[in-house]
Amino acid sequence: MTQWWRDAVIYQIYPRSFADGDGDGMGDLVGSTARMGYLADLGVDALWLSPCFASPQVDHGYDISDYRDVDPLFGSLADMDDLITTAHDYGIRVTLDFVPNHTSDQHPWFQAAVAAGRGSPERDRYLFRDGRGVDGDEPPNNWLSVFGGPSWTRVDEPDGSPGQWYYHLFAAQQPDLNWRNPEVVAEFADILRFWLDRGADGFRIDVSDALIKDDTFPDTDSGDPVIPKDESSPVHDIYREFRQVLDSYEGDRMAVIETGAEDDIVALFLRPDEMHIAFNFRFVHAGFDGSDLREAIDSSLAANAAVGAPTTWVTDNHDTPRSVTRLGQDSVLAGAYIPGTMTASGNGATDEDLGTRRARALALVLLALPGATYIYNGQELGLPNVDDLPDSALQDPIWERSGHTLRGRDGCRVPMPWTRGINLGFTGSRAEPWLPIPGEWAELSVAAQQGRDDSMLALYREALALRKASAALGRGELRWVSAQDVADDLLAFDLEGADETVRVLLNLSEDPIDLPDGGMLLSSEPVIDGQLPGIAAAWVARPGPEGIQARLSTLGQLIADIVDRRR
Ligand code: BGC
């Protein structure tokens, strides 16, 4: 068993924004497949494809109406087969998004539930409840939707009378399933098999910790839902069942869970009979704060080590303002995991040069830490968030549901610039990209960065190549060499691999620091007079325990030889 997922570099493709193959302005599977060579050159081990299944696209594919088909917007099942085969030919694994918390309201199950009426087995697949108040015209409780507004919507009964309410954690078009119903568990286990049979190497499980709600549906002071995740929650049995499905396949299939829970709760989901890895959102939230970063690293490593699971490292994804922008803001406000707060607007002025410099430095921490690492498409180009999209262009449901108070996540989903040409090479000349691409991104395009040694793309490529060749980077044992009380200025840790040690230094201060002895592998800014400049990171190779051992024995042999010769 290779357990490749323990230290893999996994690249997130947001299909609508990565590459457009058919020239309609919307990224797709054919376009993604055509860029496989780029991904191989970049040096990634695996892909995570955000959802491209049949969907009315109310939440950009996170509202699925047929889990076993590809949405025509992105192509066909044959295109997916082709993408998986092509990726495998390049030695790249493919993981798919699995969205179990809710279906689309256009899913046949939900349509049947509305049509079948109160008390039916069809309704029991979802969370239908009678309303409160006179004639049941008030929602069953006060829980709020993550996207804003109430989390209950009322349906008409088959006879046309105002009827029951159904629960939705997100938009009204995303009704939550009833995961206490064994039919739901069986159906989703079967969906996993469908994609495993087609060659998927694993899954990213959307909103994974929220499947089980407190089914007494108590009112809460905050309006937040009550979602049990502790050891006794039935949610863990669901994951045990999924794990059995994954383990019944050859080839080390895996699942990564999306959860914003505390580290000790996350670890429960990563016990040996549950899922494999989890996104570490605490690391996202730590921004460029040394103490917070150190705490996030320590806490996650310790919690996961207790259950034998590795940690994942992530700074960017399709729900969070891009790190170049976040890190360039005074507050260094990290985008929160909860979608309702996922907007960079309002965080103050942005210094993009500073953000880029910090993002370069943080990339060398991200790509060195032991565990799996996620890279979100465009992160390797240092794309900023686009916070000035015209209101008329906004498409995230958060914009509408918040009554136009939250701009939502479109700013981190703007399509990739590939060339300096028309539509920056994302799409052909006859269509507009689904979100406008800023003209100045021509200089951030792949083509523009490819020829420059000092580009973000060059940094990522070099870092990934070094990581691939190293027993320490991404996989060694982490040992801090900086004291806790200097964390605000300096993070320094050794990664001890079998025959080498790499020291990682993150200089958070504005002032240069001396570099330790050793071979300089890579730095995020040029080293001047043996010093690492302020706001920069470096990887320095140092002889590891075995390296030292090897040198000592060579020395021992030399001495023995000299002694021999003297005899
Ligand atoms: C996904 C979001 C999506 C939500 C509802 C999340 O955690 O990453 O993009 O809106 O789940 O499915």
Side-chain angles (χ1 to χ4, degrees):
M1 194 99 127
T2 61
Q3 300 202 331
W4 61 273
W5 37 269
R6 284 191 166 264
D7 54 17
V9 175
I10 305 173
Y11 187 92
Q12 179 187 0
I13 290 185
Y14 195 63
R16 56 169 58 218
S17 301
F18 185 59
D20 178 13
D22 63 4
D24 65 353
M26 180 67 70
D28 49 39
L29 297 181
V30 168
S32 302
T33 305
R35 299 293 181 180
M36 208 59 75
Y38 166 79
L39 296 169
D41 283 350
L42 180 59
V44 305
D45 302 306
L47 307 177
W48 152 31
L49 249 68
S50 286
C52 32
F53 312 110
S55 159
Q57 302 294 325
V58 169
D59 188 18
H60 293 176
Y62 284 98
D63 50 317
I64 298 174
S65 51
D66 184 350
Y67 287 80
R68 296 180 181 83
D69 205 357
V70 168
D71 197 286
L73 204 57
F74 301 118
S76 62
L77 270 179
D79 294 336
M80 179 64 98
D81 291 343
D82 194 33
L83 184 147
I84 294 176
T85 310
T86 309
H88 286 171
D89 287 347
Y90 275 101
I92 295 175
R93 290 184 157 91
V94 179
T95 64
L96 301 177
D97 222 310
F98 181 68
V99 186
N101 180 65
H102 45 264
T103 67
S104 158
D105 62 348
Q106 302 304 307
H107 190 285
W109 270 14
F110 189 74
Q111 302 275 304
V114 175
R118 242 189 203 89
S120 60
E122 287 84 353
R123 283 221 173 158
D124 191 50
R125 294 169 177 152
Y126 291 89
L127 299 171
F128 279 87
R129 292 290 183 277
D130 290 330
R132 297 193 288 200
V134 188
D135 302 328
D137 54 5
E138 284 168 29
N141 74 6
N142 72 342
W143 293 0
L144 296 172
S145 152
V146 172
F147 285 168
S151 59
W152 295 92
T153 293
R154 195 171 195 185
V155 297
D156 285 339
E157 294 303 337
D159 64 5
S161 62
Q164 286 193 297
W165 300 70
Y166 66 90
Y167 177 76
H168 48 90
L169 180 58
F170 295 92
Q173 297 87 343
Q174 295 168 293
D176 281 41
L177 287 158
N178 172 16
W179 277 91
R180 288 186 165 87
N181 181 336
E183 201 190 343
V184 173
V185 183
E187 169 67 358
F188 277 78
D190 201 54
I191 294 166
L192 287 179
R193 284 189 209 100
F194 178 86
W195 290 108
L196 290 165
D197 287 339
R198 294 191 99 89
D201 296 286
F203 301 92
R204 173 262 190 191
I205 305 188
D206 187 60
V207 206
S208 52
D209 58 3
L211 305 190
I212 294 287
K213 284 85 186 170
D214 181 335
D215 60 358
T216 64
F217 289 105
D219 276 343
T220 56
D221 291 344
S222 57
D224 289 340
V226 183
I227 298 178
K229 305 169 187 180
D230 57 25
E231 212 161 342
S232 64
S233 168
V235 72
H236 297 292
D237 293 330
I238 299 168
Y239 287 110
R240 288 191 185 104
E241 184 134 359
F242 287 171
R243 178 62 180 252
Q244 283 179 16
V245 173
L246 292 170
D247 284 352
S248 70
Y249 281 77
E250 296 280 308
D252 210 2
R253 319 285 176 115
M254 61 77 99
V256 57
I257 57 164
E258 187 210 24
T259 160
E262 297 293 313
D263 288 334
D264 53 339
I265 297 289
V266 174
L268 292 176
F269 289 84
L270 302 182
R271 288 174 291 183
D273 58 349
E274 295 196 38
M275 300 289 87
H276 301 76
I277 49 178
F279 290 112
N280 182 350
F281 289 114
R282 195 160 162 197
F283 189 74
V284 183
H285 297 176
F288 203 70
D289 183 296
S291 304
D292 285 357
L293 281 167
R294 184 164 172 158
E295 266 172 47
I297 293 168
D298 280 343
S299 154
S300 168
L301 284 175
N304 290 359
V307 292
T311 294
T312 66
W313 310 102
V314 55
T315 57
D316 290 64
N317 65 26
H318 65 294
D319 289 330
T320 309
R322 285 192 179 269
S323 53
V324 159
T325 301
R326 274 188 288 125
L327 299 174
Q329 292 170 343
D330 286 345
S331 51
V332 194
L333 242 196
Y337 152 71
I338 300 293
T341 59
M342 285 171 187
T343 174
S345 322
N347 289 351
T350 302
D351 177 344
E352 246 165 48
D353 290 341
L354 176 65
T356 302
R357 193 176 170 114
R358 284 175 169 166
R360 289 175 66 86
L362 200 56
L364 293 196
V365 176
L366 178 82
L367 296 172
L369 285 165
T373 296
Y374 278 84
I375 299 174
Y376 173 48
N377 59 201
Q379 177 182 336
E380 78 281 18
L381 302 179
L383 298 184
N385 217 59
V386 183
D387 287 331
D388 58 358
L389 287 167
D391 290 1
S392 58
L394 296 180
Q395 307 202 19
D396 188 341
I398 290 178
W399 173 239
E400 287 304 328
R401 284 193 62 90
S402 69
H404 295 186
T405 55
L406 293 170
R407 295 175 64 75
R409 301 158 290 178
D410 292 321
C412 65
R413 298 172 175 180
V414 171
M416 286 267 289
W418 290 94
T419 67
R420 292 190 174 93
I422 293 171
N423 290 326
L424 302 190
F426 167 72
T427 183
S429 55
R430 278 172 295 131
E432 290 291 313
W434 74 278
L435 283 174
I437 314 177
E440 66 269 21
W441 280 17
E443 289 317 307
L444 291 175
S445 65
V446 173
Q449 296 203 31
Q450 237 149 10
R452 285 189 8 230
D453 288 350
D454 63 349
S455 67
M456 187 73 97
L457 182 58
L459 183 75
Y460 268 82
R461 280 197 177 144
E462 209 170 329
L464 291 185
L466 286 166
R467 175 183 168 122
K468 196 156 274 179
S470 167
L473 291 163
R475 37 193 82 91
E477 183 97 7
L478 182 145
R479 206 165 40 78
W480 291 104
V481 291
S482 60
Q484 173 75 63
D485 60 2
V486 301
D488 286 343
D489 287 332
L490 175 70
L491 281 190
F493 53 88
D494 279 341
L495 291 166
E496 288 174 6
D499 55 4
E500 64 167 350
T501 296
V502 175
R503 180 158 296 179
V504 178
L505 297 133
L506 172 65
N507 181 6
L508 296 124
S509 77
E510 304 274 337
D511 304 318
I513 55 166
D514 291 334
L515 282 163
D517 293 340
M520 171 61 66
L521 295 175
L522 187 61
S523 59
S524 64
E525 305 295 330
V527 169
I528 300 164
D529 298 334
Q531 287 199 309
L532 182 67
I535 311 185
W539 291 351
V540 182
R542 299 166 67 72
E546 280 186 20
I548 291 170
Q549 215 56 57
R551 270 170 229 198
L552 285 178
S553 55
T554 315
L555 200 65
Q557 191 56 52
L558 266 179
I559 293 169
D561 287 345
I562 292 167
V563 171
D564 261 349
R565 275 203 297 272
R566 283 200 179 155
R567 273 195 193 132

